[in-house]
Amino acid sequence: MNWLRLRSRNGRGATTPPPASIGMGHDESLDAARVRMVHEQIVSRGLRDPELLRAFATVPRHRFVEVGSPYADEALPLPAGQTISQPFIVALMTDAARPARGWQGARVLEIGTGSGYQAAILAELGADLTSVERHAQLSESAARRLADAGYDGVRLVVGDGTRGWPSGAPYDAVIVTAAGPSVPKPLLDQLSPDGGKLVMPVGTRVHQELTVVQRRGEKLTRSRRDPVVFVPLIGEHGFGE
Ligand code: SAH
């Protein structure tokens, strides 16, 4: 598997602590921390898709995080009172949204661009991605980070993502990275009738369950998964201000 090669490039096992960084150039200790993150937080909890693991071992999470330890097993603060999810939760949601035909060229909609990290993961997987964010300031800094990291094909939109982005529909996958009281109807309408999958935390403002909906024709199959805590989805089909 590719991601294993990435690990051995450093000649270190996943459980060896990273060495102190040297100089200002490419930081090998960050590479090592990222590979450890993949093993200790994602593989160890049962996610095994090689493509997914390779994406998490590749995307430089440290470039999307301003405060805290970028490769720690925790959510971290973003400006405007928002948060970037714990790496495992990003992995779990991405895994649950994987289109049957794979990520390459899949039409994907993300609601809640935030730092741009989840968007970078989806772009690394080869998705044709549109990501909507209600805070213009967050969208602008995500645009900069995505371009700096080489993911310049992502379409970023500022607006209320609870209305979706009809001009890009139908979507093979929709990932909502903020919590709503229910799945917004426009997002279900914009989901591909040919097996499109939507993943979103649904519940109250303080506690939610990760919910997966798959659409076949007009039939929606819903499954509830892990308990999670996300910042609120605020908009016409979400929570109020
Ligand atoms: N996916 C992000 C984390 C997002 S945190 C990352 O990888 O960093 C949730 C984001 O959803 C916040 O940035 C918040 O501003 C945004 N958000 C909340 N309600 C929204 C809405 N109706 N439309 C678009 N974005 C929304």
Side-chain angles (χ1 to χ4, degrees):
M1 285 186 277
N2 282 342
W3 60 273
L4 278 176
R5 244 180 270 137
L6 214 154
R7 169 187 162 190
S8 58
R9 198 182 68 190
N10 291 329
R12 285 188 292 274
T15 52
T16 313
S21 63
I22 305 161
M24 298 289 286
H26 183 74
D27 193 332
E28 279 205 14
S29 71
L30 290 169
D31 288 350
R34 186 158 62 247
V35 172
R36 279 179 47 189
M37 170 192 88
V38 170
H39 283 267
E40 294 175 4
Q41 301 174 35
I42 301 178
V43 178
S44 69
R45 292 176 177 136
L47 297 183
R48 297 287 153 84
D49 173 10
E51 217 190 346
L52 181 83
L53 301 178
R54 190 194 55 77
F56 278 82
T58 305
V59 173
R61 182 169 160 97
H62 59 275
R63 293 205 189 188
F64 293 87
V65 165
E66 287 171 19
V67 183
S69 307
Y71 295 106
D73 193 12
E74 60 195 18
L76 294 167
L78 293 176
Q82 304 303 320
T83 54
I84 172 172
S85 299
Q86 181 189 356
F88 175 65
I89 297 295
V90 181
L92 193 64
M93 291 178 79
T94 308
D95 197 55
R98 186 181 185 279
R101 284 188 287 271
W103 287 110
Q104 200 60 49
R107 297 170 79 89
V108 180
L109 177 68
E110 179 193 22
I111 308 302
T113 313
S115 69
Y117 177 66
Q118 167 82 76
I121 293 287
L122 293 165
E124 180 63 37
L125 285 164
D128 174 5
L129 178 66
T130 302
S131 182
V132 186
E133 169 57 55
R134 68 189 283 268
H135 283 294
Q137 178 212 340
L138 287 178
S139 184
E140 280 157 26
S141 42
R144 236 177 298 118
R145 292 188 185 113
L146 285 164
D148 286 352
Y151 303 110
D152 35 25
V154 179
R155 240 166 279 108
L156 295 180
V157 176
V158 176
D160 177 5
T162 69
R163 297 176 182 156
W165 186 248
S167 60
Y171 297 103
D172 300 305
V174 176
I175 299 187
V176 185
T177 65
S182 59
V183 179
K185 184 160 186 306
L187 300 183
L188 296 173
D189 292 341
Q190 291 167 35
L191 202 54
S192 166
D194 186 19
K197 286 187 200 167
L198 175 145
V199 181
M200 172 177 168
V202 176
T204 66
R205 279 179 186 260
V206 290
H207 173 263
Q208 310 95 32
E209 279 171 333
L210 222 45
T211 300
V212 182
V213 182
Q214 185 161 30
R215 178 171 169 187
R216 289 200 185 281
E218 291 312 306
K219 186 169 182 285
L220 300 171
T221 310
R222 192 178 286 250
S223 62
R224 289 217 183 133
R225 306 212 183 163
D226 314 58
V228 286
V229 180
F230 274 75
V231 296
L233 179 71
I234 293 170
E236 187 185 343
H237 304 273
F239 288 113
E241 288 281 349

mmCIF file with all atom_site columns, all heavy atoms in Angstrom, residues 1-9 39:
data_model
loop_
_atom_site.group_PDB
_atom_site.id
_atom_site.type_symbol
_atom_site.label_atom_id
_atom_site.label_alt_id
_atom_site.label_comp_id
_atom_site.label_asym_id
_atom_site.label_entity_id
_atom_site.label_seq_id
_atom_site.pdbx_PDB_ins_code
_atom_site.Cartn_x
_atom_site.Cartn_y
_atom_site.Cartn_z
_atom_site.occupancy
_atom_site.B_iso_or_equiv
_atom_site.pdbx_formal_charge
_atom_site.auth_seq_id
_atom_site.auth_comp_id
_atom_site.auth_asym_id
_atom_site.auth_atom_id
_atom_site.pdbx_PDB_model_num
ATOM 1  N N   . MET A 1 1  ? 0.840  -1.192 0.000  1.00 0.00 ? 1  MET A N   1
ATOM 2  C CA  . MET A 1 1  ? 0.000  0.000  0.000  1.00 0.00 ? 1  MET A CA  1
ATOM 3  C C   . MET A 1 1  ? 0.883  1.254  0.000  1.00 0.00 ? 1  MET A C   1
ATOM 4  O O   . MET A 1 1  ? 1.910  1.294  0.654  1.00 0.00 ? 1  MET A O   1
ATOM 5  C CB  . MET A 1 1  ? -0.890 -0.007 1.242  1.00 0.00 ? 1  MET A CB  1
ATOM 6  C CG  . MET A 1 1  ? -2.038 -0.995 1.149  1.00 0.00 ? 1  MET A CG  1
ATOM 7  S SD  . MET A 1 1  ? -3.170 -0.853 2.541  1.00 0.00 ? 1  MET A SD  1
ATOM 8  C CE  . MET A 1 1  ? -2.317 -1.828 3.765  1.00 0.00 ? 1  MET A CE  1
ATOM 9  N N   . ASN A 1 2  ? 0.422  2.254  -0.746 1.00 0.00 ? 2  ASN A N   1
ATOM 10 C CA  . ASN A 1 2  ? 1.211  3.469  -0.909 1.00 0.00 ? 2  ASN A CA  1
ATOM 11 C C   . ASN A 1 2  ? 1.591  4.145  0.390  1.00 0.00 ? 2  ASN A C   1
ATOM 12 O O   . ASN A 1 2  ? 2.712  4.575  0.554  1.00 0.00 ? 2  ASN A O   1
ATOM 13 C CB  . ASN A 1 2  ? 0.409  4.479  -1.724 1.00 0.00 ? 2  ASN A CB  1
ATOM 14 C CG  . ASN A 1 2  ? 0.461  4.118  -3.187 1.00 0.00 ? 2  ASN A CG  1
ATOM 15 O OD1 . ASN A 1 2  ? 1.353  3.352  -3.567 1.00 0.00 ? 2  ASN A OD1 1
ATOM 16 N ND2 . ASN A 1 2  ? -0.451 4.636  -3.972 1.00 0.00 ? 2  ASN A ND2 1
ATOM 17 N N   . TRP A 1 3  ? 0.622  4.221  1.291  1.00 0.00 ? 3  TRP A N   1
ATOM 18 C CA  . TRP A 1 3  ? 0.875  5.003  2.501  1.00 0.00 ? 3  TRP A CA  1
ATOM 19 C C   . TRP A 1 3  ? 1.937  4.345  3.359  1.00 0.00 ? 3  TRP A C   1
ATOM 20 O O   . TRP A 1 3  ? 2.617  4.996  4.128  1.00 0.00 ? 3  TRP A O   1
ATOM 21 C CB  . TRP A 1 3  ? -0.407 5.239  3.270  1.00 0.00 ? 3  TRP A CB  1
ATOM 22 C CG  . TRP A 1 3  ? -1.092 4.005  3.715  1.00 0.00 ? 3  TRP A CG  1
ATOM 23 C CD1 . TRP A 1 3  ? -1.982 3.272  3.002  1.00 0.00 ? 3  TRP A CD1 1
ATOM 24 C CD2 . TRP A 1 3  ? -0.921 3.350  4.951  1.00 0.00 ? 3  TRP A CD2 1
ATOM 25 N NE1 . TRP A 1 3  ? -2.380 2.203  3.721  1.00 0.00 ? 3  TRP A NE1 1
ATOM 26 C CE2 . TRP A 1 3  ? -1.751 2.219  4.916  1.00 0.00 ? 3  TRP A CE2 1
ATOM 27 C CE3 . TRP A 1 3  ? -0.147 3.612  6.093  1.00 0.00 ? 3  TRP A CE3 1
ATOM 28 C CZ2 . TRP A 1 3  ? -1.823 1.344  5.981  1.00 0.00 ? 3  TRP A CZ2 1
ATOM 29 C CZ3 . TRP A 1 3  ? -0.239 2.748  7.153  1.00 0.00 ? 3  TRP A CZ3 1
ATOM 30 C CH2 . TRP A 1 3  ? -1.061 1.626  7.085  1.00 0.00 ? 3  TRP A CH2 1
ATOM 31 N N   . LEU A 1 4  ? 2.112  3.013  3.202  1.00 0.00 ? 4  LEU A N   1
ATOM 32 C CA  . LEU A 1 4  ? 3.164  2.335  3.962  1.00 0.00 ? 4  LEU A CA  1
ATOM 33 C C   . LEU A 1 4  ? 4.528  2.759  3.443  1.00 0.00 ? 4  LEU A C   1
ATOM 34 O O   . LEU A 1 4  ? 5.472  2.915  4.191  1.00 0.00 ? 4  LEU A O   1
ATOM 35 C CB  . LEU A 1 4  ? 3.018  0.815  3.847  1.00 0.00 ? 4  LEU A CB  1
ATOM 36 C CG  . LEU A 1 4  ? 2.002  0.221  4.803  1.00 0.00 ? 4  LEU A CG  1
ATOM 37 C CD1 . LEU A 1 4  ? 1.851  -1.261 4.549  1.00 0.00 ? 4  LEU A CD1 1
ATOM 38 C CD2 . LEU A 1 4  ? 2.438  0.468  6.250  1.00 0.00 ? 4  LEU A CD2 1
ATOM 39 N N   . ARG A 1 5  ? 4.570  2.983  2.122  1.00 0.00 ? 5  ARG A N   1
ATOM 40 C CA  . ARG A 1 5  ? 5.832  3.438  1.540  1.00 0.00 ? 5  ARG A CA  1
ATOM 41 C C   . ARG A 1 5  ? 6.198  4.815  2.090  1.00 0.00 ? 5  ARG A C   1
ATOM 42 O O   . ARG A 1 5  ? 7.332  5.092  2.383  1.00 0.00 ? 5  ARG A O   1
ATOM 43 C CB  . ARG A 1 5  ? 5.713  3.498  0.018  1.00 0.00 ? 5  ARG A CB  1
ATOM 44 C CG  . ARG A 1 5  ? 6.652  2.509  -0.645 1.00 0.00 ? 5  ARG A CG  1
ATOM 45 C CD  . ARG A 1 5  ? 6.526  2.565  -2.138 1.00 0.00 ? 5  ARG A CD  1
ATOM 46 N NE  . ARG A 1 5  ? 5.523  1.651  -2.611 1.00 0.00 ? 5  ARG A NE  1
ATOM 47 C CZ  . ARG A 1 5  ? 4.629  1.941  -3.533 1.00 0.00 ? 5  ARG A CZ  1
ATOM 48 N NH1 . ARG A 1 5  ? 4.588  3.132  -4.073 1.00 0.00 ? 5  ARG A NH1 1
ATOM 49 N NH2 . ARG A 1 5  ? 3.756  1.057  -3.910 1.00 0.00 ? 5  ARG A NH2 1
ATOM 50 N N   . LEU A 1 6  ? 5.177  5.645  2.241  1.00 0.00 ? 6  LEU A N   1
ATOM 51 C CA  . LEU A 1 6  ? 5.417  6.986  2.771  1.00 0.00 ? 6  LEU A CA  1
ATOM 52 C C   . LEU A 1 6  ? 6.029  6.888  4.171  1.00 0.00 ? 6  LEU A C   1
ATOM 53 O O   . LEU A 1 6  ? 6.940  7.606  4.524  1.00 0.00 ? 6  LEU A O   1
ATOM 54 C CB  . LEU A 1 6  ? 4.082  7.718  2.836  1.00 0.00 ? 6  LEU A CB  1
ATOM 55 C CG  . LEU A 1 6  ? 4.133  9.206  2.575  1.00 0.00 ? 6  LEU A CG  1
ATOM 56 C CD1 . LEU A 1 6  ? 2.785  9.637  2.045  1.00 0.00 ? 6  LEU A CD1 1
ATOM 57 C CD2 . LEU A 1 6  ? 4.516  9.996  3.782  1.00 0.00 ? 6  LEU A CD2 1
ATOM 58 N N   . ARG A 1 7  ? 5.508  5.932  4.922  1.00 0.00 ? 7  ARG A N   1
ATOM 59 C CA  . ARG A 1 7  ? 6.007  5.743  6.281  1.00 0.00 ? 7  ARG A CA  1
ATOM 60 C C   . ARG A 1 7  ? 7.464  5.302  6.262  1.00 0.00 ? 7  ARG A C   1
ATOM 61 O O   . ARG A 1 7  ? 8.302  5.827  6.975  1.00 0.00 ? 7  ARG A O   1
ATOM 62 C CB  . ARG A 1 7  ? 5.144  4.689  6.970  1.00 0.00 ? 7  ARG A CB  1
ATOM 63 C CG  . ARG A 1 7  ? 5.705  4.220  8.264  1.00 0.00 ? 7  ARG A CG  1
ATOM 64 C CD  . ARG A 1 7  ? 4.873  3.063  8.765  1.00 0.00 ? 7  ARG A CD  1
ATOM 65 N NE  . ARG A 1 7  ? 5.591  2.316  9.769  1.00 0.00 ? 7  ARG A NE  1
ATOM 66 C CZ  . ARG A 1 7  ? 5.198  1.162  10.241 1.00 0.00 ? 7  ARG A CZ  1
ATOM 67 N NH1 . ARG A 1 7  ? 4.099  0.605  9.783  1.00 0.00 ? 7  ARG A NH1 1
ATOM 68 N NH2 . ARG A 1 7  ? 5.897  0.545  11.146 1.00 0.00 ? 7  ARG A NH2 1
ATOM 69 N N   . SER A 1 8  ? 7.808  4.332  5.357  1.00 0.00 ? 8  SER A N   1
ATOM 70 C CA  . SER A 1 8  ? 9.158  3.797  5.413  1.00 0.00 ? 8  SER A CA  1
ATOM 71 C C   . SER A 1 8  ? 10.178 4.761  4.806  1.00 0.00 ? 8  SER A C   1
ATOM 72 O O   . SER A 1 8  ? 11.357 4.629  5.032  1.00 0.00 ? 8  SER A O   1
ATOM 73 C CB  . SER A 1 8  ? 9.214  2.437  4.722  1.00 0.00 ? 8  SER A CB  1
ATOM 74 O OG  . SER A 1 8  ? 8.786  2.598  3.398  1.00 0.00 ? 8  SER A OG  1
ATOM 75 N N   . ARG A 1 9  ? 9.674  5.757  4.047  1.00 0.00 ? 9  ARG A N   1
ATOM 76 C CA  . ARG A 1 9  ? 10.592 6.756  3.485  1.00 0.00 ? 9  ARG A CA  1
ATOM 77 C C   . ARG A 1 9  ? 11.416 7.404  4.595  1.00 0.00 ? 9  ARG A C   1
ATOM 78 O O   . ARG A 1 9  ? 12.571 7.745  4.430  1.00 0.00 ? 9  ARG A O   1
ATOM 79 C CB  . ARG A 1 9  ? 9.767  7.816  2.760  1.00 0.00 ? 9  ARG A CB  1
ATOM 80 C CG  . ARG A 1 9  ? 10.575 8.645  1.806  1.00 0.00 ? 9  ARG A CG  1
ATOM 81 C CD  . ARG A 1 9  ? 9.718  9.670  1.179  1.00 0.00 ? 9  ARG A CD  1
ATOM 82 N NE  . ARG A 1 9  ? 9.302  10.660 2.171  1.00 0.00 ? 9  ARG A NE  1
ATOM 83 C CZ  . ARG A 1 9  ? 8.376  11.574 1.940  1.00 0.00 ? 9  ARG A CZ  1
ATOM 84 N NH1 . ARG A 1 9  ? 7.761  11.611 0.802  1.00 0.00 ? 9  ARG A NH1 1
ATOM 85 N NH2 . ARG A 1 9  ? 8.064  12.447 2.882  1.00 0.00 ? 9  ARG A NH2 1
ATOM 86 N N   . HIS A 1 39 ? -1.679 5.897  11.823 1.00 0.00 ? 39 HIS A N   1
ATOM 87 C CA  . HIS A 1 39 ? -1.659 4.580  12.474 1.00 0.00 ? 39 HIS A CA  1
ATOM 88 C C   . HIS A 1 39 ? -2.401 4.576  13.795 1.00 0.00 ? 39 HIS A C   1
ATOM 89 O O   . HIS A 1 39 ? -3.231 3.711  14.051 1.00 0.00 ? 39 HIS A O   1
ATOM 90 C CB  . HIS A 1 39 ? -0.211 4.125  12.713 1.00 0.00 ? 39 HIS A CB  1
ATOM 91 C CG  . HIS A 1 39 ? 0.414  3.626  11.462 1.00 0.00 ? 39 HIS A CG  1
ATOM 92 N ND1 . HIS A 1 39 ? 0.397  2.305  11.101 1.00 0.00 ? 39 HIS A ND1 1
ATOM 93 C CD2 . HIS A 1 39 ? 1.042  4.280  10.471 1.00 0.00 ? 39 HIS A CD2 1
ATOM 94 C CE1 . HIS A 1 39 ? 1.002  2.175  9.932  1.00 0.00 ? 39 HIS A CE1 1
ATOM 95 N NE2 . HIS A 1 39 ? 1.402  3.357  9.531  1.00 0.00 ? 39 HIS A NE2 1
#
